[in-house]
Amino acid sequence: MTDATRMRQICLVAPHLEPVVGDIAAIMGLTVRYRDPNVARYGLENALLPVDTILLEVVAPFREGTAAGRFIDKTGGRGGYMAILSCPDPRERQKNAEAIGVRISHVIDRPPYLGVQLHPRDCRAAFIEFNHTADSDNIRGAYPPAGPDWDKSIRDDVTTALTEVILTSPDPRGLADHWSRIIGAPATGTEIVLVNCRIRCVEGDSEIMSGLTFRVRDPAAVLRAAQERGHAVTGSSFGLGGVDFRITA
């Protein structure tokens, strides 16, 4: 990994993996690379689809009493679940979070992987996790949550990048400033620009991760594929997995 903090995964949550995962793969031209057996300990199953070097993950609960299940019950399934960022030192980010009053929800310490998850209520809008994989100095290198050789499943014939995460808040400037302090990256107005993705805060009634923006080769074809899979298209976006998929060229 490089020294810069970058977006590593976006996690969506659904009552069941299908048809959400199948629709994402078919519409966006992505490949399901891995299903992580480690999430079973949390009562979840998942699927990960690479979008360039960002992993798009969908999780679904298979038993009662999971955090993801409570999220679905609370939100009605609206909103993204987690933004996962890679950084040089998750423990340093943990200390920073605690210093500004953001509680730690969970620590995953399974060498060579270290992940620090922050409490969603304190983060506002969504979970934030910081992680690092030891001895991985290549963004396409080893990353245990995505399984071995995950980068071999990257496709770019339809979708070339996940360029933006959109957060909604009644106070978008305040939310941007808050995430800026947590992440350790400057906010310019209501935007935080990372090396591989932008986080943009917009005005809305509640604080959620409301959308993802994708760059694709043929927007009209992607939107047509969404309609064919039964998703209502409004302008250049459609709803899937609890968020709006915004399509750009």
Side-chain angles (χ1 to χ4, degrees), residues 5-39:
T5 297
R6 62 173 65 232
M7 192 64 67
R8 196 44 147 142
Q9 283 175 243
I10 293 295
C11 180
L12 308 179
V13 65
H16 307 283
L17 289 184
E18 297 298 343
V20 174
V21 172
D23 282 357
I24 292 173
I27 294 167
M28 305 302 294
L30 303 174
T31 297
V32 175
R33 168 58 196 163
Y34 191 60
R35 300 177 189 269
D36 186 357
N38 288 305
V39 303

PDB file of all heavy atoms in Angstrom, residues 5-39:
ATOM      1  N   THR A   5      -3.771   7.717   2.552  1.00  0.00           N
ATOM      2  CA  THR A   5      -5.056   7.117   2.895  1.00  0.00           C
ATOM      3  C   THR A   5      -5.900   7.061   1.635  1.00  0.00           C
ATOM      4  O   THR A   5      -6.036   8.042   0.916  1.00  0.00           O
ATOM      5  CB  THR A   5      -5.761   7.953   3.973  1.00  0.00           C
ATOM      6  OG1 THR A   5      -4.967   7.934   5.159  1.00  0.00           O
ATOM      7  CG2 THR A   5      -7.133   7.392   4.286  1.00  0.00           C
ATOM      8  N   ARG A   6      -6.465   5.914   1.370  1.00  0.00           N
ATOM      9  CA  ARG A   6      -7.264   5.739   0.150  1.00  0.00           C
ATOM     10  C   ARG A   6      -8.495   4.899   0.455  1.00  0.00           C
ATOM     11  O   ARG A   6      -8.523   4.148   1.419  1.00  0.00           O
ATOM     12  CB  ARG A   6      -6.439   5.088  -0.959  1.00  0.00           C
ATOM     13  CG  ARG A   6      -5.926   3.697  -0.653  1.00  0.00           C
ATOM     14  CD  ARG A   6      -5.261   3.058  -1.876  1.00  0.00           C
ATOM     15  NE  ARG A   6      -4.071   3.760  -2.289  1.00  0.00           N
ATOM     16  CZ  ARG A   6      -3.849   4.193  -3.544  1.00  0.00           C
ATOM     17  NH1 ARG A   6      -4.747   3.970  -4.483  1.00  0.00           N
ATOM     18  NH2 ARG A   6      -2.746   4.811  -3.859  1.00  0.00           N
ATOM     19  N   MET A   7      -9.489   5.050  -0.396  1.00  0.00           N
ATOM     20  CA  MET A   7     -10.685   4.234  -0.264  1.00  0.00           C
ATOM     21  C   MET A   7     -10.332   2.809  -0.671  1.00  0.00           C
ATOM     22  O   MET A   7      -9.751   2.578  -1.726  1.00  0.00           O
ATOM     23  CB  MET A   7     -11.815   4.768  -1.138  1.00  0.00           C
ATOM     24  CG  MET A   7     -13.167   4.150  -0.843  1.00  0.00           C
ATOM     25  SD  MET A   7     -13.787   4.519   0.827  1.00  0.00           S
ATOM     26  CE  MET A   7     -14.074   6.303   0.682  1.00  0.00           C
ATOM     27  N   ARG A   8     -10.680   1.844   0.180  1.00  0.00           N
ATOM     28  CA  ARG A   8     -10.338   0.454  -0.084  1.00  0.00           C
ATOM     29  C   ARG A   8     -11.559  -0.390  -0.400  1.00  0.00           C
ATOM     30  O   ARG A   8     -11.546  -1.223  -1.298  1.00  0.00           O
ATOM     31  CB  ARG A   8      -9.626  -0.107   1.149  1.00  0.00           C
ATOM     32  CG  ARG A   8      -8.870  -1.398   0.952  1.00  0.00           C
ATOM     33  CD  ARG A   8      -8.076  -1.371  -0.313  1.00  0.00           C
ATOM     34  NE  ARG A   8      -6.842  -2.111  -0.210  1.00  0.00           N
ATOM     35  CZ  ARG A   8      -6.334  -2.846  -1.195  1.00  0.00           C
ATOM     36  NH1 ARG A   8      -6.971  -2.968  -2.326  1.00  0.00           N
ATOM     37  NH2 ARG A   8      -5.183  -3.448  -1.077  1.00  0.00           N
ATOM     38  N   GLN A   9     -12.634  -0.188   0.376  1.00  0.00           N
ATOM     39  CA  GLN A   9     -13.883  -0.915   0.166  1.00  0.00           C
ATOM     40  C   GLN A   9     -15.056  -0.009   0.476  1.00  0.00           C
ATOM     41  O   GLN A   9     -14.962   0.873   1.332  1.00  0.00           O
ATOM     42  CB  GLN A   9     -13.998  -2.121   1.118  1.00  0.00           C
ATOM     43  CG  GLN A   9     -13.204  -3.329   0.763  1.00  0.00           C
ATOM     44  CD  GLN A   9     -13.323  -4.394   1.846  1.00  0.00           C
ATOM     45  OE1 GLN A   9     -12.331  -4.745   2.469  1.00  0.00           O
ATOM     46  NE2 GLN A   9     -14.519  -4.918   2.064  1.00  0.00           N
ATOM     47  N   ILE A  10     -16.149  -0.260  -0.205  1.00  0.00           N
ATOM     48  CA  ILE A  10     -17.451   0.286   0.153  1.00  0.00           C
ATOM     49  C   ILE A  10     -18.348  -0.902   0.426  1.00  0.00           C
ATOM     50  O   ILE A  10     -18.461  -1.814  -0.407  1.00  0.00           O
ATOM     51  CB  ILE A  10     -18.037   1.158  -0.960  1.00  0.00           C
ATOM     52  CG1 ILE A  10     -17.212   2.419  -1.160  1.00  0.00           C
ATOM     53  CG2 ILE A  10     -19.492   1.510  -0.651  1.00  0.00           C
ATOM     54  CD1 ILE A  10     -17.224   3.369   0.023  1.00  0.00           C
ATOM     55  N   CYS A  11     -18.982  -0.895   1.580  1.00  0.00           N
ATOM     56  CA  CYS A  11     -19.832  -2.017   1.970  1.00  0.00           C
ATOM     57  C   CYS A  11     -21.294  -1.587   1.954  1.00  0.00           C
ATOM     58  O   CYS A  11     -21.668  -0.607   2.600  1.00  0.00           O
ATOM     59  CB  CYS A  11     -19.424  -2.508   3.355  1.00  0.00           C
ATOM     60  SG  CYS A  11     -20.407  -3.891   3.956  1.00  0.00           S
ATOM     61  N   LEU A  12     -22.096  -2.340   1.223  1.00  0.00           N
ATOM     62  CA  LEU A  12     -23.539  -2.183   1.217  1.00  0.00           C
ATOM     63  C   LEU A  12     -24.154  -3.353   1.980  1.00  0.00           C
ATOM     64  O   LEU A  12     -23.537  -4.404   2.112  1.00  0.00           O
ATOM     65  CB  LEU A  12     -24.071  -2.162  -0.226  1.00  0.00           C
ATOM     66  CG  LEU A  12     -23.408  -1.181  -1.191  1.00  0.00           C
ATOM     67  CD1 LEU A  12     -24.041  -1.298  -2.578  1.00  0.00           C
ATOM     68  CD2 LEU A  12     -23.499   0.243  -0.681  1.00  0.00           C
ATOM     69  N   VAL A  13     -25.363  -3.172   2.471  1.00  0.00           N
ATOM     70  CA  VAL A  13     -26.022  -4.240   3.217  1.00  0.00           C
ATOM     71  C   VAL A  13     -27.385  -4.510   2.589  1.00  0.00           C
ATOM     72  O   VAL A  13     -28.058  -3.593   2.109  1.00  0.00           O
ATOM     73  CB  VAL A  13     -26.141  -3.867   4.713  1.00  0.00           C
ATOM     74  CG1 VAL A  13     -27.048  -2.672   4.920  1.00  0.00           C
ATOM     75  CG2 VAL A  13     -26.627  -5.045   5.546  1.00  0.00           C
ATOM     76  N   ALA A  14     -27.764  -5.784   2.564  1.00  0.00           N
ATOM     77  CA  ALA A  14     -29.043  -6.185   1.972  1.00  0.00           C
ATOM     78  C   ALA A  14     -29.634  -7.314   2.807  1.00  0.00           C
ATOM     79  O   ALA A  14     -28.906  -8.043   3.479  1.00  0.00           O
ATOM     80  CB  ALA A  14     -28.836  -6.641   0.529  1.00  0.00           C
ATOM     81  N   PRO A  15     -30.957  -7.476   2.782  1.00  0.00           N
ATOM     82  CA  PRO A  15     -31.565  -8.595   3.524  1.00  0.00           C
ATOM     83  C   PRO A  15     -31.051  -9.951   3.049  1.00  0.00           C
ATOM     84  O   PRO A  15     -30.905 -10.879   3.824  1.00  0.00           O
ATOM     85  CB  PRO A  15     -33.059  -8.429   3.251  1.00  0.00           C
ATOM     86  CG  PRO A  15     -33.229  -6.993   2.881  1.00  0.00           C
ATOM     87  CD  PRO A  15     -31.974  -6.616   2.154  1.00  0.00           C
ATOM     88  N   HIS A  16     -30.776 -10.055   1.739  1.00  0.00           N
ATOM     89  CA  HIS A  16     -30.229 -11.264   1.128  1.00  0.00           C
ATOM     90  C   HIS A  16     -29.241 -10.834   0.046  1.00  0.00           C
ATOM     91  O   HIS A  16     -29.399  -9.777  -0.568  1.00  0.00           O
ATOM     92  CB  HIS A  16     -31.333 -12.124   0.521  1.00  0.00           C
ATOM     93  CG  HIS A  16     -32.453 -12.450   1.473  1.00  0.00           C
ATOM     94  ND1 HIS A  16     -32.340 -13.419   2.452  1.00  0.00           N
ATOM     95  CD2 HIS A  16     -33.686 -11.902   1.609  1.00  0.00           C
ATOM     96  CE1 HIS A  16     -33.471 -13.466   3.142  1.00  0.00           C
ATOM     97  NE2 HIS A  16     -34.300 -12.554   2.649  1.00  0.00           N
ATOM     98  N   LEU A  17     -28.240 -11.664  -0.212  1.00  0.00           N
ATOM     99  CA  LEU A  17     -27.248 -11.292  -1.226  1.00  0.00           C
ATOM    100  C   LEU A  17     -27.881 -11.178  -2.618  1.00  0.00           C
ATOM    101  O   LEU A  17     -27.533 -10.291  -3.395  1.00  0.00           O
ATOM    102  CB  LEU A  17     -26.103 -12.303  -1.252  1.00  0.00           C
ATOM    103  CG  LEU A  17     -25.141 -12.291  -0.058  1.00  0.00           C
ATOM    104  CD1 LEU A  17     -24.014 -13.289  -0.290  1.00  0.00           C
ATOM    105  CD2 LEU A  17     -24.580 -10.889   0.175  1.00  0.00           C
ATOM    106  N   GLU A  18     -28.772 -12.089  -2.911  1.00  0.00           N
ATOM    107  CA  GLU A  18     -29.438 -12.037  -4.211  1.00  0.00           C
ATOM    108  C   GLU A  18     -30.850 -11.492  -4.042  1.00  0.00           C
ATOM    109  O   GLU A  18     -31.498 -11.761  -3.039  1.00  0.00           O
ATOM    110  CB  GLU A  18     -29.471 -13.428  -4.862  1.00  0.00           C
ATOM    111  CG  GLU A  18     -28.104 -13.997  -5.183  1.00  0.00           C
ATOM    112  CD  GLU A  18     -27.303 -13.164  -6.178  1.00  0.00           C
ATOM    113  OE1 GLU A  18     -27.904 -12.313  -6.878  1.00  0.00           O
ATOM    114  OE2 GLU A  18     -26.085 -13.350  -6.244  1.00  0.00           O
ATOM    115  N   PRO A  19     -31.311 -10.688  -5.007  1.00  0.00           N
ATOM    116  CA  PRO A  19     -30.710 -10.452  -6.328  1.00  0.00           C
ATOM    117  C   PRO A  19     -29.712  -9.295  -6.394  1.00  0.00           C
ATOM    118  O   PRO A  19     -29.263  -8.949  -7.485  1.00  0.00           O
ATOM    119  CB  PRO A  19     -31.938 -10.138  -7.200  1.00  0.00           C
ATOM    120  CG  PRO A  19     -32.838  -9.395  -6.247  1.00  0.00           C
ATOM    121  CD  PRO A  19     -32.654 -10.064  -4.899  1.00  0.00           C
ATOM    122  N   VAL A  20     -29.354  -8.682  -5.252  1.00  0.00           N
ATOM    123  CA  VAL A  20     -28.538  -7.474  -5.286  1.00  0.00           C
ATOM    124  C   VAL A  20     -27.191  -7.729  -5.956  1.00  0.00           C
ATOM    125  O   VAL A  20     -26.782  -6.999  -6.864  1.00  0.00           O
ATOM    126  CB  VAL A  20     -28.335  -6.906  -3.867  1.00  0.00           C
ATOM    127  CG1 VAL A  20     -27.366  -5.732  -3.877  1.00  0.00           C
ATOM    128  CG2 VAL A  20     -29.674  -6.467  -3.289  1.00  0.00           C
ATOM    129  N   VAL A  21     -26.481  -8.783  -5.517  1.00  0.00           N
ATOM    130  CA  VAL A  21     -25.151  -9.043  -6.063  1.00  0.00           C
ATOM    131  C   VAL A  21     -25.218  -9.374  -7.553  1.00  0.00           C
ATOM    132  O   VAL A  21     -24.430  -8.866  -8.354  1.00  0.00           O
ATOM    133  CB  VAL A  21     -24.459 -10.177  -5.275  1.00  0.00           C
ATOM    134  CG1 VAL A  21     -23.163 -10.598  -5.960  1.00  0.00           C
ATOM    135  CG2 VAL A  21     -24.183  -9.739  -3.848  1.00  0.00           C
ATOM    136  N   GLY A  22     -26.171 -10.203  -7.924  1.00  0.00           N
ATOM    137  CA  GLY A  22     -26.312 -10.551  -9.335  1.00  0.00           C
ATOM    138  C   GLY A  22     -26.626  -9.354 -10.204  1.00  0.00           C
ATOM    139  O   GLY A  22     -26.117  -9.232 -11.325  1.00  0.00           O
ATOM    140  N   ASP A  23     -27.469  -8.451  -9.688  1.00  0.00           N
ATOM    141  CA  ASP A  23     -27.803  -7.248 -10.450  1.00  0.00           C
ATOM    142  C   ASP A  23     -26.594  -6.323 -10.599  1.00  0.00           C
ATOM    143  O   ASP A  23     -26.356  -5.770 -11.675  1.00  0.00           O
ATOM    144  CB  ASP A  23     -28.953  -6.502  -9.773  1.00  0.00           C
ATOM    145  CG  ASP A  23     -30.307  -7.141 -10.036  1.00  0.00           C
ATOM    146  OD1 ASP A  23     -30.365  -8.132 -10.791  1.00  0.00           O
ATOM    147  OD2 ASP A  23     -31.312  -6.661  -9.483  1.00  0.00           O
ATOM    148  N   ILE A  24     -25.842  -6.139  -9.519  1.00  0.00           N
ATOM    149  CA  ILE A  24     -24.644  -5.290  -9.611  1.00  0.00           C
ATOM    150  C   ILE A  24     -23.684  -5.850 -10.652  1.00  0.00           C
ATOM    151  O   ILE A  24     -23.170  -5.118 -11.510  1.00  0.00           O
ATOM    152  CB  ILE A  24     -23.955  -5.170  -8.241  1.00  0.00           C
ATOM    153  CG1 ILE A  24     -24.821  -4.366  -7.266  1.00  0.00           C
ATOM    154  CG2 ILE A  24     -22.579  -4.518  -8.385  1.00  0.00           C
ATOM    155  CD1 ILE A  24     -24.283  -4.336  -5.849  1.00  0.00           C
ATOM    156  N   ALA A  25     -23.442  -7.153 -10.592  1.00  0.00           N
ATOM    157  CA  ALA A  25     -22.509  -7.771 -11.532  1.00  0.00           C
ATOM    158  C   ALA A  25     -22.985  -7.617 -12.969  1.00  0.00           C
ATOM    159  O   ALA A  25     -22.209  -7.259 -13.869  1.00  0.00           O
ATOM    160  CB  ALA A  25     -22.315  -9.244 -11.177  1.00  0.00           C
ATOM    161  N   ALA A  26     -24.270  -7.888 -13.200  1.00  0.00           N
ATOM    162  CA  ALA A  26     -24.793  -7.863 -14.569  1.00  0.00           C
ATOM    163  C   ALA A  26     -24.872  -6.452 -15.129  1.00  0.00           C
ATOM    164  O   ALA A  26     -24.522  -6.215 -16.293  1.00  0.00           O
ATOM    165  CB  ALA A  26     -26.177  -8.516 -14.596  1.00  0.00           C
ATOM    166  N   ILE A  27     -25.319  -5.515 -14.323  1.00  0.00           N
ATOM    167  CA  ILE A  27     -25.506  -4.145 -14.813  1.00  0.00           C
ATOM    168  C   ILE A  27     -24.179  -3.433 -14.991  1.00  0.00           C
ATOM    169  O   ILE A  27     -23.945  -2.765 -16.013  1.00  0.00           O
ATOM    170  CB  ILE A  27     -26.400  -3.350 -13.837  1.00  0.00           C
ATOM    171  CG1 ILE A  27     -27.812  -3.940 -13.816  1.00  0.00           C
ATOM    172  CG2 ILE A  27     -26.459  -1.872 -14.238  1.00  0.00           C
ATOM    173  CD1 ILE A  27     -28.663  -3.438 -12.663  1.00  0.00           C
ATOM    174  N   MET A  28     -23.294  -3.588 -14.006  1.00  0.00           N
ATOM    175  CA  MET A  28     -22.041  -2.827 -14.000  1.00  0.00           C
ATOM    176  C   MET A  28     -20.887  -3.566 -14.667  1.00  0.00           C
ATOM    177  O   MET A  28     -19.789  -3.013 -14.799  1.00  0.00           O
ATOM    178  CB  MET A  28     -21.665  -2.473 -12.560  1.00  0.00           C
ATOM    179  CG  MET A  28     -22.744  -1.741 -11.773  1.00  0.00           C
ATOM    180  SD  MET A  28     -23.274  -0.184 -12.534  1.00  0.00           S
ATOM    181  CE  MET A  28     -21.777   0.792 -12.375  1.00  0.00           C
ATOM    182  N   GLY A  29     -21.118  -4.804 -15.098  1.00  0.00           N
ATOM    183  CA  GLY A  29     -20.049  -5.546 -15.747  1.00  0.00           C
ATOM    184  C   GLY A  29     -18.917  -5.886 -14.796  1.00  0.00           C
ATOM    185  O   GLY A  29     -17.736  -5.772 -15.157  1.00  0.00           O
ATOM    186  N   LEU A  30     -19.257  -6.334 -13.591  1.00  0.00           N
ATOM    187  CA  LEU A  30     -18.258  -6.653 -12.572  1.00  0.00           C
ATOM    188  C   LEU A  30     -18.286  -8.152 -12.265  1.00  0.00           C
ATOM    189  O   LEU A  30     -19.248  -8.843 -12.573  1.00  0.00           O
ATOM    190  CB  LEU A  30     -18.533  -5.854 -11.299  1.00  0.00           C
ATOM    191  CG  LEU A  30     -18.567  -4.329 -11.455  1.00  0.00           C
ATOM    192  CD1 LEU A  30     -19.000  -3.665 -10.146  1.00  0.00           C
ATOM    193  CD2 LEU A  30     -17.216  -3.793 -11.914  1.00  0.00           C
ATOM    194  N   THR A  31     -17.217  -8.618 -11.643  1.00  0.00           N
ATOM    195  CA  THR A  31     -17.079 -10.034 -11.319  1.00  0.00           C
ATOM    196  C   THR A  31     -17.047 -10.229  -9.809  1.00  0.00           C
ATOM    197  O   THR A  31     -16.323  -9.514  -9.107  1.00  0.00           O
ATOM    198  CB  THR A  31     -15.780 -10.602 -11.921  1.00  0.00           C
ATOM    199  OG1 THR A  31     -15.841 -10.506 -13.342  1.00  0.00           O
ATOM    200  CG2 THR A  31     -15.571 -12.057 -11.523  1.00  0.00           C
ATOM    201  N   VAL A  32     -17.821 -11.176  -9.303  1.00  0.00           N
ATOM    202  CA  VAL A  32     -17.727 -11.540  -7.893  1.00  0.00           C
ATOM    203  C   VAL A  32     -16.412 -12.285  -7.707  1.00  0.00           C
ATOM    204  O   VAL A  32     -16.219 -13.382  -8.237  1.00  0.00           O
ATOM    205  CB  VAL A  32     -18.906 -12.420  -7.443  1.00  0.00           C
ATOM    206  CG1 VAL A  32     -18.700 -12.882  -6.001  1.00  0.00           C
ATOM    207  CG2 VAL A  32     -20.218 -11.671  -7.575  1.00  0.00           C
ATOM    208  N   ARG A  33     -15.508 -11.662  -6.957  1.00  0.00           N
ATOM    209  CA  ARG A  33     -14.190 -12.242  -6.791  1.00  0.00           C
ATOM    210  C   ARG A  33     -14.114 -13.194  -5.607  1.00  0.00           C
ATOM    211  O   ARG A  33     -13.444 -14.233  -5.665  1.00  0.00           O
ATOM    212  CB  ARG A  33     -13.157 -11.113  -6.611  1.00  0.00           C
ATOM    213  CG  ARG A  33     -11.782 -11.578  -6.154  1.00  0.00           C
ATOM    214  CD  ARG A  33     -11.197 -12.574  -7.133  1.00  0.00           C
ATOM    215  NE  ARG A  33     -10.077 -13.318  -6.550  1.00  0.00           N
ATOM    216  CZ  ARG A  33      -9.601 -14.440  -7.054  1.00  0.00           C
ATOM    217  NH1 ARG A  33     -10.153 -14.983  -8.111  1.00  0.00           N
ATOM    218  NH2 ARG A  33      -8.580 -15.052  -6.493  1.00  0.00           N
ATOM    219  N   TYR A  34     -14.793 -12.846  -4.513  1.00  0.00           N
ATOM    220  CA  TYR A  34     -14.515 -13.565  -3.265  1.00  0.00           C
ATOM    221  C   TYR A  34     -15.720 -13.481  -2.344  1.00  0.00           C
ATOM    222  O   TYR A  34     -16.458 -12.500  -2.353  1.00  0.00           O
ATOM    223  CB  TYR A  34     -13.300 -12.928  -2.586  1.00  0.00           C
ATOM    224  CG  TYR A  34     -12.710 -13.701  -1.432  1.00  0.00           C
ATOM    225  CD1 TYR A  34     -12.213 -14.989  -1.605  1.00  0.00           C
ATOM    226  CD2 TYR A  34     -12.595 -13.124  -0.166  1.00  0.00           C
ATOM    227  CE1 TYR A  34     -11.639 -15.690  -0.554  1.00  0.00           C
ATOM    228  CE2 TYR A  34     -12.022 -13.813   0.898  1.00  0.00           C
ATOM    229  CZ  TYR A  34     -11.542 -15.092   0.694  1.00  0.00           C
ATOM    230  OH  TYR A  34     -10.972 -15.775   1.743  1.00  0.00           O
ATOM    231  N   ARG A  35     -15.863 -14.527  -1.551  1.00  0.00           N
ATOM    232  CA  ARG A  35     -16.843 -14.553  -0.462  1.00  0.00           C
ATOM    233  C   ARG A  35     -16.051 -14.913   0.790  1.00  0.00           C
ATOM    234  O   ARG A  35     -15.531 -16.025   0.900  1.00  0.00           O
ATOM    235  CB  ARG A  35     -17.972 -15.546  -0.757  1.00  0.00           C
ATOM    236  CG  ARG A  35     -18.743 -15.191  -2.036  1.00  0.00           C
ATOM    237  CD  ARG A  35     -19.817 -16.218  -2.368  1.00  0.00           C
ATOM    238  NE  ARG A  35     -20.379 -15.982  -3.688  1.00  0.00           N
ATOM    239  CZ  ARG A  35     -21.441 -15.225  -3.939  1.00  0.00           C
ATOM    240  NH1 ARG A  35     -22.063 -14.621  -2.931  1.00  0.00           N
ATOM    241  NH2 ARG A  35     -21.886 -15.073  -5.172  1.00  0.00           N
ATOM    242  N   ASP A  36     -15.940 -13.972   1.700  1.00  0.00           N
ATOM    243  CA  ASP A  36     -15.032 -14.082   2.835  1.00  0.00           C
ATOM    244  C   ASP A  36     -15.639 -14.946   3.936  1.00  0.00           C
ATOM    245  O   ASP A  36     -16.636 -14.559   4.559  1.00  0.00           O
ATOM    246  CB  ASP A  36     -14.721 -12.680   3.371  1.00  0.00           C
ATOM    247  CG  ASP A  36     -13.671 -12.675   4.466  1.00  0.00           C
ATOM    248  OD1 ASP A  36     -13.218 -13.760   4.864  1.00  0.00           O
ATOM    249  OD2 ASP A  36     -13.298 -11.572   4.907  1.00  0.00           O
ATOM    250  N   PRO A  37     -15.061 -16.109   4.239  1.00  0.00           N
ATOM    251  CA  PRO A  37     -15.638 -16.961   5.291  1.00  0.00           C
ATOM    252  C   PRO A  37     -15.533 -16.348   6.681  1.00  0.00           C
ATOM    253  O   PRO A  37     -16.266 -16.740   7.596  1.00  0.00           O
ATOM    254  CB  PRO A  37     -14.806 -18.250   5.191  1.00  0.00           C
ATOM    255  CG  PRO A  37     -13.513 -17.829   4.569  1.00  0.00           C
ATOM    256  CD  PRO A  37     -13.866 -16.713   3.616  1.00  0.00           C
ATOM    257  N   ASN A  38     -14.642 -15.361   6.859  1.00  0.00           N
ATOM    258  CA  ASN A  38     -14.450 -14.775   8.182  1.00  0.00           C
ATOM    259  C   ASN A  38     -15.653 -13.972   8.659  1.00  0.00           C
ATOM    260  O   ASN A  38     -15.825 -13.776   9.873  1.00  0.00           O
ATOM    261  CB  ASN A  38     -13.208 -13.887   8.188  1.00  0.00           C
ATOM    262  CG  ASN A  38     -11.924 -14.693   8.119  1.00  0.00           C
ATOM    263  OD1 ASN A  38     -11.690 -15.573   8.931  1.00  0.00           O
ATOM    264  ND2 ASN A  38     -11.101 -14.404   7.116  1.00  0.00           N
ATOM    265  N   VAL A  39     -16.488 -13.487   7.731  1.00  0.00           N
ATOM    266  CA  VAL A  39     -17.631 -12.676   8.172  1.00  0.00           C
ATOM    267  C   VAL A  39     -18.730 -13.531   8.783  1.00  0.00           C
ATOM    268  O   VAL A  39     -19.650 -12.998   9.417  1.00  0.00           O
ATOM    269  CB  VAL A  39     -18.196 -11.810   7.023  1.00  0.00           C
ATOM    270  CG1 VAL A  39     -17.111 -10.907   6.446  1.00  0.00           C
ATOM    271  CG2 VAL A  39     -18.823 -12.665   5.934  1.00  0.00           C
TER     272      VAL A  39
END
